[in-house]
Amino acid sequence: MTSIRDVARLAGVSPSTVSRVMNQTANVNEEKKQKVLWAIQETGFVPNELARSLYKKNSKIIGVIVPSIDNPFFGELARVIEEEAFLNGYRLTLCSSNHNREKEKANIQMLTRLKAEGIILMTNDETLQEEIEKCNLPIVALDRQIASGNGVSYIHADHYKGSRLAMKHLLECGCKNIVKLREPQVYSSGRQRFAGYVSVCKEYGIPVQYIDCQYDYEDGFRVAEQVLLKYPDVDGILANNDMVAIAVYKVLKKRGYRVPEDVQLIGFDNIAFSHMILQELTTIEQPIKEMGKLAVKAIMEYGQAGKIEQEQVLDVTLIKRETTKERKGLS
Amino acid sequence: MTSIRDVARLAGVSPSTVSRVMNQTANVNEEKKQKVLWAIQETGFVPNELARSLYKKNSKIIGVIVPSIDNPFFGELARVIEEEAFLNGYRLTLCSSNHNREKEKANIQMLTRLKAEGIILMTNDETLQEEIEKCNLPIVALDRQIASGNGVSYIHADHYKGSRLAMKHLLECGCKNIVKLREPQVYSSGRQRFAGYVSVCKEYGIPVQYIDCQYDYEDGFRVAEQVLLKYPDVDGILANNDMVAIAVYKVLKKRGYRVPEDVQLIGFDNIAFSHMILQELTTIEQPIKEMGKLAVKAIMEYGQAGKIEQEQVLDVTLIKRETTKERKGLS
C-alpha cells in the first residue's frame, strides 16, 4: 500500500513536507505544495482514517433538514434524533432550511456527496421533488409527507385523528361557535389536521368556519385579532399548533376574555412550553420521542437496503389542561 | 493514478462489482467483497470526491457542541451558527451533549478524525480539559469559558455588566428585599453573573441573599417555592436566566402575588419566549446573533492559522418590559 514515503519520493520532498501539506500545519511554498498534491493524486495515497473509512464501512452520517431549529417542535425532535443517532454510533449533519429551497437543494446534494446513510427531512416543498428523485440515499420524511413520495418513507403522527379529538373535546366542553385556525395546506400535516376538523363538523352538522394561519407565533398573534373581529361570538378556538395557541391566548387575555370561561382554546403538538406558561394549554400530544427514534431506526435499516417506501402512523393523545373545561351533562 | 479498473484487475472481479462494494448498492458475496476491500487497500484507490477533498482542501465541517438543543437559548444560537456557516460554504455537525462528558469527549475525538475546521463549544466541564488540550483543532468557547483555556478562544456576553444592570434596575424600581437566584458556579457565565450582583450589593450596602438554581425551568419551579418560604417579604427576584424567570413567574402568580406590584422579576438572555408569554419579561439581552456570527468567523479565520487564544466580550442591554416597574423619585 502507498505510504507517505512513496508520495515524498515521487514529489522530491521530505515526508514531513507531505505531512505539512496534508495537515496544513505550516506554510509550504506553492511549488512544493503543487508537487505534493500531484504526487498524492498520482499514487492514490489515502492519508487518513476518514478516507479509509469510506470504503471500509459506512459514513455514519445522518443528514437532518428541519425548517427551523429554534422552533420548539423541531428543536425537540432534533434532540431526540441526535441522542438516538449518537447511541448508535452515528453523527448528525444539521441543516436548518428556513424554507429556503436553494439551501435545501444544496444540502441534499452535499449529503449525497458525503455518502450520508440517509436524510431525515422535516420540510417539504414541491419544487424539491426533482432533487429528491435524483438522490439515491434513503430518505425519511418526518412529520410532513414529500410531494413526490417515490422511494421516500413517511413517519408521522395521526394528524387527522388529533384534530378530531380536539374538535370533539371542544364540543364536550359546550362550545357552540368554534373557529378553526387552518394550517398551511401545502403541508400534509396541515391538510390532515384540517380534514379531521371538517369531518367532525359534517358529523355534527356544524358550519365549517376558519381563518388561515401559518405554524408560527407571529402569525398566530395576527390571526387571533382577525378571529375576534370576524367572529365576535367565538367560544372555542382550535389552533393549528401550540405556538399559535400561545399567541392566541395572549391576545384573548389582553382583550379581556376569560379562558376557558368565555373562550376555550386547544393547541396541537404538546411541546414543552405548552405546560410552562401560566395557564397550561390543553393540546394534542404528538409522540415526539417515538417519532425521532423511529426515523433514526429507519435510516439505519434502509442503509443496508437502499430506498424504501413505507408509511408509519403514530397515535396521538388529548392532553386536558387549563384552557378548556368540560361541562357536565353534555355528551 | 489508480483507477477502479486496477482495483478490479487485482481483485479478479469486474469493475461494476467494485462499484457495488463501494456504493453498497447491491449485495456482493462475502468472498468477493473481501477481495475487493483488500485490493482497494492494496492499490490505495481513492474512490470519491470526499476522499480527494481531504487533501485538496478543507473539510468545511464546523463541529458544534451544545448542552441541549431544545433549550431555547442554545437553539437560537445554533440557528444563527448554522445560517452563518451555510452562507460561507460550511456544514455543521451537531452534538447535543446533555452534560454527558463521555459524549462530549467522543464528539471532540470524532471531529478531530473528521478534520473539522474547528469546534464551537457551548458546554464546559473541567474533566474535558485533557481532551481539549489533545485536540489540535481551533476551538471557540461560546458563552461559557473553558476551564483550561490553553489555545482556546472565548466569545461571550458581558455577564457581569448584565447582572449589574439588572440589579440596579430592580433598585430603581424601588425593591427593598431582592433575592438572587444564583447560577451554577461551575460555569464562567454563572460566576460572572453572580459577581455582578454581589458588586452592586456592596456598592449599595445591601445584604447578599441568594438560593442556588440550575439554568432550567424545572429547577426554577422548585427554587421559586423555596424563595417564598425563606424570604416571605421578597419584593424583587433576579433570576439566573429567562427560562427560570418564566417558572418563577408562574409560581408567583399561582400563589396570588401580583407582578410587578408585589414582586418584581427580571430574567437574563432575552430568548424569544421572554416576550411571548402573557406578561412580557423584563430581561438582559445577550446579542445572540452577533455571538453566533463571530464564532463562525473565528473558526474560519483560525482554520488558516491553527489554535488561537483570544477573548471577545460583547455588550448586553437591559430590556424593560412588564415584570418590573420603575417608581418615580427613586434614583
Side-chain angles (χ1 to χ4, degrees):
Chain A
M1 190 175 165
T2 316
S3 76
I4 197 165
R5 290 179 185 284
D6 301 326
V7 175
R9 205 173 301 127
L10 189 60
V13 301
S14 69
S16 63
T17 302
V18 176
S19 164
R20 281 201 292 278
V21 170
M22 285 179 347
N23 299 314
Q24 300 169 345
T25 46
N27 283 330
V28 173
N29 85 45
E30 196 54 30
E31 197 191 328
K32 277 193 185 171
K33 195 173 154 190
Q34 288 307 323
K35 277 189 189 163
V36 169
L37 291 174
W38 167 80
I40 286 173
Q41 292 284 338
E42 201 63 17
T43 56
F45 177 58
V46 181
N48 69 23
E49 202 176 325
L50 173 63
R52 283 197 193 103
S53 77
L54 290 175
Y55 33 77
K56 258 205 222 152
K57 48 179 183 171
N58 305 330
S59 68
K60 295 285 184 184
I61 292 170
I62 294 179
V64 176
I65 303 181
V66 296
S68 59
I69 188 66
D70 59 350
N71 170 326
F73 176 68
F74 295 111
E76 291 178 25
L77 262 179
R79 178 188 171 150
V80 177
I81 291 171
E82 198 276 341
E83 281 172 1
E84 191 66 15
F86 181 79
L87 287 176
N88 288 285
Y90 288 74
R91 60 183 171 271
L92 199 133
T93 292
L94 178 82
C95 167
S96 182
S97 73
N98 210 18
H99 309 287
N100 176 337
R101 290 173 209 168
E102 289 313 312
K103 192 168 176 186
E104 289 174 1
K105 278 189 193 176
N107 271 279
I108 292 174
Q109 289 164 358
M110 181 271 286
L111 289 163
T112 307
R113 283 199 304 274
L114 272 180
K115 299 200 167 185
E117 308 274 329
I119 301 175
I120 299 174
L121 202 58
M122 286 173 248
T123 175
N124 181 29
D125 190 302
E126 308 224 343
T127 62
L128 269 187
Q129 190 165 340
E130 200 187 329
E131 217 54 51
I132 286 165
E133 282 174 4
K134 274 197 292 183
C135 172
N136 60 2
L137 304 175
I139 295 181
V140 173
L142 186 59
D143 181 50
R144 296 172 182 179
Q145 195 167 21
I146 307 266
S148 76
N150 284 341
V152 170
S153 278
Y154 176 31
I155 296 173
H156 63 103
D158 193 339
H159 302 291
Y160 182 84
K161 178 182 171 185
S163 262
R164 285 185 56 87
L165 286 176
M167 184 62 186
K168 284 191 170 177
H169 178 60
L170 287 184
L171 292 172
E172 279 161 14
C173 292
C175 294
K176 303 284 178 212
N177 194 357
I178 298 170
V179 175
K180 171 82 185 114
L181 304 191
R182 188 170 76 159
E183 300 81 3
Q185 298 295 294
V186 292
Y187 304 125
S188 57
S189 64
R191 291 191 296 271
Q192 292 162 10
R193 289 184 197 182
F194 189 66
Y197 157 76
V198 171
S199 76
V200 176
C201 289
K202 284 194 182 156
E203 254 177 65
Y204 289 75
I206 297 166
V208 169
Q209 48 191 15
Y210 65 88
I211 299 187
D212 283 312
C213 186
Q214 295 300 310
Y215 275 135
D216 57 69
Y217 177 90
E218 288 69 24
D219 211 42
F221 208 79
R222 185 184 64 76
V223 168
E225 300 281 3
Q226 289 181 20
V227 170
L228 296 176
L229 274 175
K230 194 168 169 193
Y231 303 102
D233 297 328
V234 60
D235 64 359
I237 297 177
L238 203 62
N240 43 358
N241 73 9
D242 288 347
M243 289 304 292
V244 167
I246 288 169
V248 170
Y249 175 80
K250 187 167 170 177
V251 171
L252 288 172
K253 295 296 284 188
K254 296 270 174 191
R255 300 249 167 243
Y257 290 84
R258 293 169 306 159
V259 177
E261 293 81 358
D262 301 327
V263 180
Q264 310 221 21
L265 176 63
I266 184 164
F268 205 111
D269 288 346
N270 196 29
I271 57 172
F273 266 99
S274 67
H275 73 85
M276 290 179 179
I277 52 175
L278 185 57
Q279 210 177 325
E280 301 190 359
L281 190 65
T282 294
T283 189
I284 300 296
E285 179 176 69
Q286 292 206 58
I288 293 180
K289 273 205 167 169
E290 206 184 339
M291 287 166 68
K293 283 186 175 185
L294 277 177
V296 172
K297 196 163 163 263
I299 296 289
M300 283 163 31
E301 285 173 0
Y302 302 166
Q304 318 296 321
K307 281 193 158 188
I308 285 187
E309 203 170 321
Q310 199 180 50
E311 183 173 350
Q312 293 184 71
V313 188
L314 303 180
D315 204 12
V316 292
T317 321
L318 170 68
I319 309 286
K320 296 178 195 174
R321 293 205 189 101
E322 297 170 354
T323 56
T324 56
K325 191 173 171 56
E326 277 160 324
R327 287 173 202 177
K328 299 238 167 88
L330 289 157
S331 70
Chain B
M1 190 176 164
T2 315
S3 77
I4 198 165
R5 290 179 187 283
D6 301 327
V7 175
R9 205 174 301 128
L10 188 62
V13 301
S14 69
S16 62
T17 302
V18 176
S19 164
R20 280 201 293 276
V21 170
M22 283 175 355
N23 299 314
Q24 301 169 346
T25 46
N27 283 329
V28 174
N29 87 44
E30 195 53 31
E31 198 190 328
K32 277 191 187 174
K33 193 172 154 192
Q34 287 308 323
K35 276 189 189 163
V36 170
L37 291 174
W38 165 82
I40 287 173
Q41 291 285 338
E42 202 63 18
T43 55
F45 177 60
V46 181
N48 68 23
E49 200 178 324
L50 173 64
R52 282 196 193 103
S53 77
L54 289 175
Y55 34 79
K56 261 203 222 152
K57 49 179 185 172
N58 305 330
S59 68
K60 295 284 184 184
I61 292 170
I62 294 179
V64 175
I65 303 182
V66 296
S68 57
I69 189 66
D70 59 349
N71 170 327
F73 176 68
F74 294 111
E76 291 178 25
L77 262 178
R79 177 188 172 150
V80 177
I81 292 171
E82 197 276 340
E83 281 172 2
E84 191 66 14
F86 180 78
L87 287 175
N88 288 285
Y90 289 73
R91 58 182 174 272
L92 199 135
T93 291
L94 179 83
C95 167
S96 181
S97 74
N98 211 15
H99 309 287
N100 176 337
R101 290 173 209 169
E102 290 313 312
K103 191 169 175 186
E104 288 173 2
K105 279 189 193 177
N107 272 279
I108 292 173
Q109 289 165 358
M110 180 270 286
L111 289 163
T112 307
R113 282 198 305 274
L114 272 179
K115 299 198 168 188
E117 309 274 330
I119 301 175
I120 299 174
L121 201 59
M122 286 174 247
T123 174
N124 180 30
D125 190 301
E126 308 224 342
T127 62
L128 269 188
Q129 191 164 340
E130 200 186 329
E131 216 55 49
I132 286 164
E133 282 174 5
K134 273 196 293 183
C135 171
N136 60 1
L137 304 175
I139 295 181
V140 172
L142 186 58
D143 180 51
R144 296 173 182 178
Q145 194 167 22
I146 307 266
S148 78
N150 284 341
V152 170
S153 278
Y154 175 34
I155 296 173
H156 63 102
D158 193 340
H159 302 291
Y160 182 85
K161 178 182 172 185
S163 263
R164 285 184 57 86
L165 286 176
M167 184 63 185
K168 284 190 170 176
H169 178 61
L170 287 184
L171 292 173
E172 279 161 14
C173 292
C175 295
K176 302 287 177 210
N177 193 358
I178 298 170
V179 175
K180 170 83 185 112
L181 305 191
R182 187 170 77 159
E183 300 81 2
Q185 297 295 296
V186 293
Y187 304 124
S188 57
S189 64
R191 291 190 296 271
Q192 292 162 11
R193 288 184 197 181
F194 190 65
Y197 158 76
V198 170
S199 76
V200 176
C201 288
K202 283 192 182 156
E203 254 175 67
Y204 288 75
I206 297 166
V208 169
Q209 48 191 16
Y210 65 88
I211 298 186
D212 282 312
C213 185
Q214 295 300 309
Y215 275 134
D216 57 68
Y217 177 91
E218 288 69 23
D219 211 42
F221 208 80
R222 185 184 64 76
V223 168
E225 299 280 4
Q226 288 181 23
V227 170
L228 297 177
L229 274 174
K230 195 168 169 193
Y231 303 102
D233 298 327
V234 61
D235 64 358
I237 298 177
L238 204 63
N240 44 357
N241 73 8
D242 288 347
M243 289 304 292
V244 167
I246 288 168
V248 170
Y249 175 79
K250 187 165 171 178
V251 171
L252 287 172
K253 295 296 283 186
K254 295 271 174 190
R255 300 251 168 239
Y257 290 84
R258 293 169 305 159
V259 177
E261 294 81 358
D262 301 328
V263 180
Q264 310 221 22
L265 176 63
I266 184 164
F268 205 111
D269 288 345
N270 196 30
I271 56 173
F273 266 99
S274 67
H275 73 85
M276 291 179 179
I277 51 175
L278 184 57
Q279 210 176 328
E280 300 189 0
L281 191 64
T282 294
T283 190
I284 301 296
E285 180 176 68
Q286 293 205 57
I288 293 180
K289 272 204 168 170
E290 206 184 339
M291 287 166 68
K293 283 186 176 187
L294 278 177
V296 172
K297 197 162 161 262
I299 296 290
M300 283 162 33
E301 286 173 359
Y302 302 167
Q304 318 297 321
K307 280 194 157 188
I308 285 188
E309 203 170 321
Q310 199 181 48
E311 183 172 349
Q312 292 184 72
V313 188
L314 304 180
D315 204 13
V316 293
T317 321
L318 170 67
I319 309 285
K320 296 177 194 174
R321 293 205 189 100
E322 298 171 352
T323 57
T324 57
K325 192 173 169 57
E326 277 159 322
R327 287 173 201 178
K328 300 233 166 93
L330 288 157
S331 70

